[in-house]
């Protein structure tokens, strides 16, 4: 499965920027994009691992619970 790099902004659909076969390449590309980010409020660069671009976009749009806190055992 490939790795997809997306730009995620509030109130807009995720924008696919690139596709890579290896995580190291995708991660390096994402880090470079983060370094030159336009500074738009709430803009994030995300790397997703999925079967297809549509599946990756679906994963980006799913709500996730926050990290467990102390006493959440």
């Amino acid at each position: 499965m490939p790795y997809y790099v997306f730009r995620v902004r509030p109130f807009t659909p995720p924008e696919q920027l690139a596709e890579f076969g290896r995580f190291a390449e995708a991660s390096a590309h994402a880090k470079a994009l983060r370094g030159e980010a336009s500074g738009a409020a709430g803009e994030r660069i995300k790397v997703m691992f999925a079967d297809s671009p549509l599946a990756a976009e679906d994963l980006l749009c799913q709500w996730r619970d926050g990290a467990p806190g102390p006493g959440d055992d």
Side-chain angles (χ1 to χ4, degrees):
M1 285 193 295
Y3 293 89
Y4 299 95
V5 178
F6 283 90
R7 175 177 287 125
V8 182
R9 294 180 179 139
F11 309 112
T12 61
E15 174 188 355
Q16 182 182 341
L17 302 175
E19 177 181 336
F20 296 94
R22 296 181 46 223
F23 176 75
E25 297 165 346
S27 178
H29 184 70
K31 287 176 184 176
L33 290 173
R34 289 177 190 132
E36 62 188 42
S38 64
E43 179 179 295
R44 296 175 294 151
I45 303 295
K46 304 289 276 182
V47 176
M48 300 302 297
F49 180 66
D51 289 326
S52 68
L54 185 60
E57 189 171 331
D58 182 52
L59 289 170
L60 279 171
C61 294
Q62 290 180 8
W63 184 262
R64 294 177 55 188
D65 292 331
D72 284 346
D73 296 343

